[in-house]
């Protein structure tokens, strides 16, 4: 499936994609593109060892997406409208994809088509970029290719999740850690991420006597990173930026903390430049943890999420600060009956990740020998992370996310019938979630609120 020359690549798209001398791309045959043709292009965008052929493949996907109407876009204007309460009653799912990314993204778009839905975010966190081996430009190419494959001709929202200041690294070298996050932000924007959640909540210091003091480093660095993002925005695009006031898995957030953060953030942002747009949403903690709480047998404990607090925080974010509302992290492993409560609580966005990973590993079609190979590597590679008192099941559950990077190509190369079975089960799950989160018929909302701004990129040269 790998191209060996540029000529071979261009011959593969002859009569399907037309490339003018000025780099303008037009689609001649949509149906022919939405077959094994886009499958091959995206495979090369990820795995071709020739960097130029890889870059050209990504450029083709980006340019074709612009031409087809599924350009990578910012969700900012929808969130502005939600802050004005012009739209309500639904919660936008933000979906983290760690492995089998093309197949999982296709499942998302298939479920979206069933539900006439388009208010969906694809995201990847700083940590996930590392251990899954998916840099921003690659992740964007794969998601957009999936949109092309499934005929999703609506804006696609791709987000940097938890672009986080790591506390221990910040304490060791403040400037170096801040530079690392800024470099990631630049790479992400260059790679087509027009939605970015900065996470400086790790710097909240609860030992301080007052809330402003506790949140100070959080809001000051969030404002600095927001200003940096604004300096890098492509013309015509306002990137949706998210902030965070409470670390997931820690104590529940309060209205007073939200106000302390926002008042300090807004005041600090004004010192960074005139008229800078602030954050569009605020992530809070109301009782979840990333990945869920793992019991000794490897199953997940039931978690009680405080929806009353979530609703109060979300309404405060809307009414007092004009944001779209509150964001809930760590929700994918919650009980099925919890998801309909997010729209009822006026939650703007909910982040979903670990359950989709679980559905890949635990699928009846997943090859047992491949799973064993992954787990044996993890026992060796991640042994230092095996905590005292942890069962093997708990250890595997908490570390198997690390298997997606080393085995990325082997995941992609699984037989088609296996990927189809996993994809169908995931599609059913997304169909369920989209209904519960009430994003059914949100294509019309997206059409009314989002005006895509195609960003033209030059054809790569050797």
């Amino acid at each position: 499936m790998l191209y060996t020359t540029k000529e071979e690549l261009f011959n593969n798209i002859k009569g399907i994609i037309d490339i003018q001398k000025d780099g303008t791309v037009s689609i001649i045959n949509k149906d022919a593109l939405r077959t094994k043709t886009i499958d091959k292009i995206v495979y090369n965008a990820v795995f071709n060892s020739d960097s130029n052929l890889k870059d050209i493949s990504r450029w083709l996907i980006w340019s074709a997406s612009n031409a087809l109407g599924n350009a990578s876009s910012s969700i900012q204007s929808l969130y502005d409208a939600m802050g004005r309460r012009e739209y309500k009653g639904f919660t936008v799912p933000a979906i983290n994809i760690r492995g089998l990314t093309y197949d999982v993204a296709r499942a998302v778009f298939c479920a979206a088509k069933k539900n006439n839905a388009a208010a969906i975010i694809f995201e990847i966190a700083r940590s996930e970029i590392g251990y899954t081996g998916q840099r921003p430009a690659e992740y964007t190419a794969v998601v957009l290719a999936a949109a092309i494959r499934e005929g999703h001709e609506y804006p696609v929202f791709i987000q940097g999740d938890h672009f986080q200041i790591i506390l221990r690294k910040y304490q060791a070298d403040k400037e170096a850690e801040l530079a690392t996050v800024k470099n990631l932000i630049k790479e992400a924007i260059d790679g087509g991420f027009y939605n970015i959640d900065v996470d400086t909540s790790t710097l909240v210091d609860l030992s301080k006597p007052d809330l402003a003091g506790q949140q100070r480093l959080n809001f000051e660095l969030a404002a600095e990173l927001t200003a940096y993002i604004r300096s890098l925005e492509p013309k015509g695009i306002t990137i949706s930026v998210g902030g965070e006031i409470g670390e997931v898995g820690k104590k529940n957030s309060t209205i007073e903390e939200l106000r302390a953060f926002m008042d300090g953030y807004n005041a600090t942002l004004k010192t960074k430049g005139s008229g800078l747009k602030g954050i569009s949403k605020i992530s809070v903690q109301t009782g979840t943890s990333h990945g869920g709480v793992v019991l000794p047998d490897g199953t997940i404990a039931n978690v009680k999420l405080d929806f009353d607090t979530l609703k109060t925080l979300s309404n405060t974010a809307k009414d007092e600060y004009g944001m779209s509302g509150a964001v809930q992290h760590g929700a994918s492993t919650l009980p099925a009956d919890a998801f309909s409560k997010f729209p009822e609580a006026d939650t703007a966005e909910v982040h979903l990740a670990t359950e989709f990973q679980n559905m890949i590993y635990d699928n009846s079609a997943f090859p047992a020998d491949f799973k064993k190979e992954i787990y044996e590597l993890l026992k060796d590679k991640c042994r230092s992370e095996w905590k005292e008192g942890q069962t093997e099941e708990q250890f595997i559950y908490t570390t198997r996310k690390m298997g997606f990077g080393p085995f990325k190509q082997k995941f992609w190369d699984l037989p088609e019938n296996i990927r189809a079975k996993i994809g169908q089960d995931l599609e059913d799950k997304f169909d369920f979630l989209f209904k519960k989160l009430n994003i059914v018929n949100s294509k019309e909302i997206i059409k009314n609120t989002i005006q895509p701004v195609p960003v033209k990129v030059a054809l790569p040269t050797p």
Side-chain angles (χ1 to χ4, degrees), residues 211 245 253-260 309 312-313 316 320-321:
L211 291 175
I245 59 170
S253 304
T254 67
I255 292 177
E256 291 76 20
E257 287 172 333
L258 190 155
R259 288 172 176 150
T309 296
T312 301
L313 291 167
T316 302
E320 297 185 20
Y321 299 100

Side-chain angles (χ1 to χ4, degrees), residues 156-168:
V156 175
F157 308 107
I158 302 175
Q159 180 161 278
D161 177 34
H162 281 304
F163 276 22
Q164 185 179 81
I165 296 288
I166 298 173
L167 178 59
R168 59 180 172 79

Side-chain angles (χ1 to χ4, degrees), residues 19 63 116 153 223 351 370 458:
I19 305 170
S63 301
N116 200 36
E153 295 187 0
H351 289 215
F370 183 29

Side-chain angles (χ1 to χ4, degrees), residues 24-185:
T24 301
V25 167
S26 58
I27 310 303
I28 302 170
N29 190 331
K30 291 182 185 180
D31 292 336
L33 178 60
R34 291 172 176 148
T35 59
K36 297 294 183 182
T37 301
I38 191 64
D39 294 349
K40 187 170 183 178
I41 294 171
V42 72
Y43 193 86
N44 280 267
V46 177
F47 295 114
N48 202 304
S49 59
D50 184 319
S51 60
N52 187 237
L53 291 176
K54 181 183 290 185
D55 289 344
I56 293 173
S57 298
R58 293 177 181 180
W59 175 83
L60 275 172
I61 294 167
W62 179 267
S63 301
S65 295
N66 285 346
L68 288 168
N70 59 281
S72 185
S73 301
S74 169
I75 205 166
Q76 179 71 48
S77 54
L78 169 59
Y79 280 6
D80 284 341
M82 290 168 68
R84 296 189 298 267
R85 294 190 178 273
E86 294 172 8
Y87 296 98
K88 60 183 180 179
F90 63 92
T91 297
V92 176
I95 299 166
N96 299 61
I97 308 179
R98 295 169 178 167
L100 271 180
T101 305
Y102 186 50
D103 295 280
V104 178
R106 286 183 63 187
V108 173
F109 287 118
C110 286
K113 186 184 297 183
K114 285 182 181 178
N115 290 283
N116 200 36
I120 303 163
I121 292 172
F122 296 82
E123 65 179 3
I124 188 166
R126 173 185 174 178
S127 58
E128 290 170 327
I129 288 170
Y131 65 70
T132 67
Q134 299 182 98
R135 303 307 304 179
E138 175 187 313
Y139 191 78
T140 297
V142 176
V143 172
L144 293 180
I148 292 171
R149 185 66 153 90
E150 301 305 331
H152 182 87
E153 295 187 0
Y154 288 82
V156 175
F157 308 107
I158 302 175
Q159 180 161 278
D161 177 34
H162 281 304
F163 276 22
Q164 185 179 81
I165 296 288
I166 298 173
L167 178 59
R168 59 180 172 79
K169 293 185 177 182
Y170 184 80
Q171 290 172 333
D173 191 331
K174 296 178 181 180
E175 293 305 318
E177 176 62 3
L178 191 57
T180 295
V181 175
K182 285 184 175 181
N183 289 339
L184 179 59
I185 286 170

Side-chain angles (χ1 to χ4, degrees), residues 123-295:
E123 65 179 3
I124 188 166
R126 173 185 174 178
S127 58
E128 290 170 327
I129 288 170
Y131 65 70
T132 67
Q134 299 182 98
R135 303 307 304 179
E138 175 187 313
Y139 191 78
T140 297
V142 176
V143 172
L144 293 180
I148 292 171
R149 185 66 153 90
E150 301 305 331
H152 182 87
E153 295 187 0
Y154 288 82
V156 175
F157 308 107
I158 302 175
Q159 180 161 278
D161 177 34
H162 281 304
F163 276 22
Q164 185 179 81
I165 296 288
I166 298 173
L167 178 59
R168 59 180 172 79
K169 293 185 177 182
Y170 184 80
Q171 290 172 333
D173 191 331
K174 296 178 181 180
E175 293 305 318
E177 176 62 3
L178 191 57
T180 295
V181 175
K182 285 184 175 181
N183 289 339
L184 179 59
I185 286 170
K186 185 177 188 312
E187 180 187 354
I189 294 173
D190 289 345
F193 285 34
Y194 299 144
N195 309 275
I196 295 176
D197 283 357
V198 298
D199 181 8
T200 50
S201 67
T202 51
L203 304 179
V204 172
D205 187 352
L206 297 178
S207 70
K208 299 291 184 183
D210 62 279
L211 291 175
Q214 292 172 13
Q215 292 285 338
R216 183 168 302 282
L217 266 180
N218 185 16
F219 67 64
E220 286 181 345
L221 289 187
E224 181 175 343
L225 292 174
T226 301
Y228 182 67
I229 290 167
R230 298 289 173 237
S231 74
L232 298 174
E233 289 171 330
K235 185 177 180 181
I237 293 177
T238 300
I239 290 174
S240 170
V241 180
E244 187 158 345
I245 59 170
E247 245 192 297
V248 177
K250 306 295 182 181
K251 81 173 194 70
N252 283 5
S253 304
T254 67
I255 292 177
E256 291 76 20
E257 287 172 333
L258 190 155
R259 288 172 176 150
F261 172 85
M262 285 305 303
D263 292 344
Y265 170 84
N266 286 336
T268 306
L269 190 62
K270 286 179 181 178
T271 70
K272 303 294 181 182
S274 177
L276 292 178
K277 184 75 173 176
I279 59 175
S280 64
K281 57 190 174 177
I282 187 78
S283 293
V284 300
Q285 166 60 8
T286 58
T288 62
S289 64
H290 285 127
V293 177
V294 192
L295 298 174

